[in-house]
Amino acid sequence: MAEPSSVAHVAAPLPDSKAIARAEKFTRERFVHAGEDPAVALAPGSPRRRALDAALAEIERGERQPSTEWRRDYSLLLGLERVLSEEEPHLVDGTVLSPHQVDALSGTLTALLAEALRTNGNGHPNGTAAAASPDLLASADILGADDETAAESLEPPLAAVEDEEDDDLEDDLDDEDDLDDDDLGDDLDAVAPAPPDEDLDDDEEEDELDLDDELGLDDADAELSGGEDEADEEPRDWVDEDEDEDGQLPEQPEDPNAAKRFWFEHATGAGKTVAALGFVEASRTGGVLILTHRRNLVDQFNGELIDRGYKSRISRALLKGEDAANGPVTVETYQWFVRNAGRISSAYTIVICDEAHTALGEKTSAAIREWTGPIFIGMTATGALIARHVTDLFPTQTSRFDLAQAARRGVIAPLRCVRIPPGPGVRTIAKVPLRRGEVDTEFDQEMLAELLDQHPFNFAVADLYKTRFNGVPGVVYAAGVRHSYNLEAAFVATGLKAKAVSGETPKRELAEILARYERGEIDVLINAQLLAEGWNSPRATVCVHLAPTASKRIYQQRVGRVTRRHPGKEAGLVVDFVHPATKHDDPVVTLHSLLDRDVYRGGAIVVGPVRRGRGRRVRVERRVLPVCADEERRFAVFERELWRIAVEHLDYGEQHVWAALAGARVAPSGWRRARAMLHFDRTGELKSRFLITAVQRNKNSQLRLRALTDIAAARDADAFDTAIDIVGSWSRDDRREAAKIMLRALAERRIGRRDQANAWIWRLAEYTREVHEEYAVQRWPETKRLLGLLVNSAGGAHARNARRLVHASRKQDRRLAAALLAAALAHTPEAEEVLRGARTRMARKPPALARELLRNFPKRRARASRRRRKGSKLESGLSARATEDTNVEATGANAESSADKGQRSNGGAKKSGQRNGSSSRGGQRRRRSSRNAARAETDAPSDEVVAEALSTPNDSDDGRRPVDAEGQVQRSVETALEHADRP
């Protein structure tokens, strides 16, 4: 349905160019930009047309400057359109705004236009005819009943201008409103003085407000500002668990000014201050109040204003009854804002809240909600981490340029990360309780300081810094003030140029220390939380999180200290004192959990472009670790980075998962590497898992045979039994080669109990029944008839034929008897029992039986290997190498049966010579094997981070396993293998 005022908008004629010029001079803003059609730019009902009509109306009333209502409604909107209409938006000193800074301005302009189109210019939705009420424009508690008309009461009103000649009116306005920048500075001096009670804001009181009196600091620093009256402080940012169990924010009352509060997120070091000055440039008539949480940041902002060419606009704080329409800019603290709530001048039409997350306290947020006049713009680097709370106060987000985006675009320095285990003495950080606050959750600072502040630990950290980062400027975050000074003593004793600072440090001394740091006289600054916000040093390169934090907001603020670019600074380096395999679901925040990275690689670039060979300060490790908590993403990392994973740092279950995946995926060229990556396995469980999976799932037949050889060499009865079960499912040729390997192992060494060995031998004989049948038939032709009777009979005849076969085998030599029993196949339980008894009697010496069965296999033909294609030479070499040693040593190694000695007497001399020759070759092979083993140990990955950091035992070697370890491991392995089999 059309709004009631639409007819008037359409009927209103377009003002002529002279009227538009008068309005532009009156408001100091352009209504028609270059290249625009006035009829389109000033279309009836548009925000710019409403601003023009309101300005002309005020000129007709004889106003000498835009009213407070006009400045609040249109000053920033028109100013942003002016700044963004330029080809390259810039500040008054020529500084060109970056794209993300332009995004912050354009996002705010879009939100303002949307709100202006939604309302009719008086704060009411379109379609309502209600006039603007003073109670809706400003709360009586903040501005008072007649604060909106304070500007009119400062000087007598002018007579209404009623000339009909446009030229005369323009001349009068030129005489009255010809203000240049010098005149603006004079007007600031002409502002009425503040009431006497404003002495509360003198420098002495601000000195009492400690630099750490802010939201989000730890208790150790916060206690230092004990001289401040409790009513004048911001509320603490955390509460005890018994004070707020549910952590829910109380329901907020009606918020009439929510549509005029915006916020944007820019990474630390990305130029939030310059973006704020963009709003200052846009507001030529409306005052700008910049609020920050520390007194030193007030000086920093004022210095930036002076450097950027806005010195003439800097103004002292304006209070109730004072006004200026020349865009005064005042920088103050949130503490000042809370103390003076209700007495601040309405000249401020824009309030910029620096570090907006620090404005979420109860008193500060209440004061912001009650002041319904100006437009509030919050800016922060950590808004996304506490977005639920930020949007409670600043509902509309206009731009986002987070840490990852800034690093990728090269706006800030890239970030590298090194993880260092904190050592056995401080491994109980997980037991430190968490305290829930209004904004986020943090560790109990007193217990954390008690845990970390240990003399050996402090000196170990100092020695570590000197060893790895000597001469590199950095900042260390400790667990409390006392811990900071104890660390300073340790660092200085080690020979480092270090200095600790805290809230106890006088302001002048603190300024001198920071200046010495910038000059290079100090390399390491140690603090608890003082330098986490509000301190910017492009020289800072190393950020050491010695005291862990559970707050992503605090962590990102710390990291922001090393993100600024600087000549010679290749990247910022973040040191996390956590175990290398710490996952994202751990309470301790790390750089990888902050940026949600899947893989940790010590010393590597975590975010930002990689610049090889340009001043890198840390060695990059070769191996990686999955650190994401999601199971699917971890499986993806295992598949993608399988051969680069530092297996020894994984937990018990994932070590088995890696071993299974490696066994299934290993190639001939990576076999030795895979075995070397399990060098830390003391129990042999991981190696068994690797070999069993290789036997079961590897596609390379030669590697499967090699895995069988390693299983036999390990003499693990369980793995041997499992391998024999798996071999039964292989093809005939592979099954035959596997049986030879297993029988040779049983002939050479004792594996398992005698009854187990007996069962294994006859199972292997069953797998190769055709081999033994062929030998028996060739050796004794009667064998074919006996086996035929056994196979073709049934019932009682079948059992009788089985007894006949057993009786005949007893009359033969041991080799032929074993071949007969191996070739026999029973169909009934009675016949099976007969054969089992005969086999058991023959297997009283399992090694001898294994040797007899092994002799039935045909010899390998030498010509066959020469006929193989070139592509299979490597596989055939692996098979020959896997069986060569045991072939040579098995020949004649044990006493043979008396029946066969005569048959082998003719070849005895020849085989003796072979044994003599093989002994020398065996020695060469053993020496070569020892060299290979030594090379494998050399190639094996070492603890690159842990060896250089504090010595700590490996978590995987402490013998602790989760409850129901076997079941959990098996389920994890099966899940991983199923995931790997997916297309």
Side-chain angles (χ1 to χ4, degrees), residues 109 125 173 456 529 745:
L109 174 61
L173 293 175
Q529 195 68 13

Side-chain angles (χ1 to χ4, degrees), residues 200-257:
L200 291 174
D201 191 34
D202 58 7
D203 293 338
E204 294 181 0
E205 181 175 356
E206 292 300 337
D207 289 339
E208 294 177 2
L209 287 172
D210 190 83
L211 293 179
D212 290 340
D213 183 16
E214 62 183 43
L215 296 175
L217 295 187
D218 57 290
D219 299 342
D221 283 346
E223 291 176 358
L224 299 175
S225 58
E228 184 68 29
D229 185 59
E230 185 175 350
D232 293 337
E233 293 182 349
E234 281 292 302
R236 62 184 180 180
D237 194 32
W238 61 272
V239 293
D240 291 332
E241 293 179 353
D242 55 355
E243 294 181 14
D244 187 10
E245 288 295 334
D246 54 2
Q248 303 252 346
L249 291 175
E251 184 178 356
Q252 299 296 337
E254 186 66 25
D255 197 354
N257 200 42

Side-chain angles (χ1 to χ4, degrees), residues 899-914:
D900 294 330
K901 284 185 179 179
Q903 298 177 8
R904 296 197 306 270
S905 59
N906 295 331
K910 182 178 179 180
K911 292 196 175 184
S912 176
Q914 290 179 353

